Amino acid sequence: LGAFPGVPHRLRSLGERGGRNWIDNGVSTTPTSTISALEDISGRPLYWIGGGKTKHLPLGELAAAAAARCAEVLAFGAAAEELARAVEAAGGRARRLPD
């Protein structure tokens, strides 16, 4: 078990670069699974890159979790504006990225 690297795209450590630990959780495609991931990751500061396609799901709980845990949310894709607005409404910082 000690040699098991984890499942691709599920809270898998990609290593450290620039003094930051990079974690791939790319298959977290629902607010509930993303909230669980944000709560599971320890350490500060936490920067979350999120977005992609909008799924028209409520973002209130996710935005609150991101505002509480993240130094900044980097929002991209079709969902960028909706996600960034929700995080900002919850008191967090968000930056909109083109891609």
Side-chain angles (χ1 to χ4, degrees):
L1 272 180
F4 181 63
V7 179
H9 312 296
R10 293 201 185 263
L11 289 177
R12 188 169 185 185
S13 177
L14 301 176
E16 189 174 314
R17 183 174 179 154
R20 293 192 173 120
N21 185 26
W22 294 84
I23 299 169
D24 177 5
N25 196 47
V27 296
S28 185
T29 61
T30 66
T32 302
S33 65
T34 304
I35 291 167
S36 294
L38 291 174
E39 290 173 347
D40 190 58
I41 298 168
S42 62
R44 280 279 198 185
L46 178 63
Y47 294 84
W48 171 43
I49 302 170
K53 295 179 183 177
T54 183
K55 294 175 183 63
H56 306 289
L57 297 172
L59 297 178
E61 287 183 48
L62 173 57
R69 286 282 297 126
C70 299
E72 186 172 31
V73 172
L74 308 164
F76 73 96
E81 189 59 35
E82 179 184 10
L83 177 59
R85 273 195 219 144
V87 170
E88 291 166 343
R93 288 184 49 200
R95 186 180 342 166
R96 293 134 178 97
L97 303 173
D99 56 26

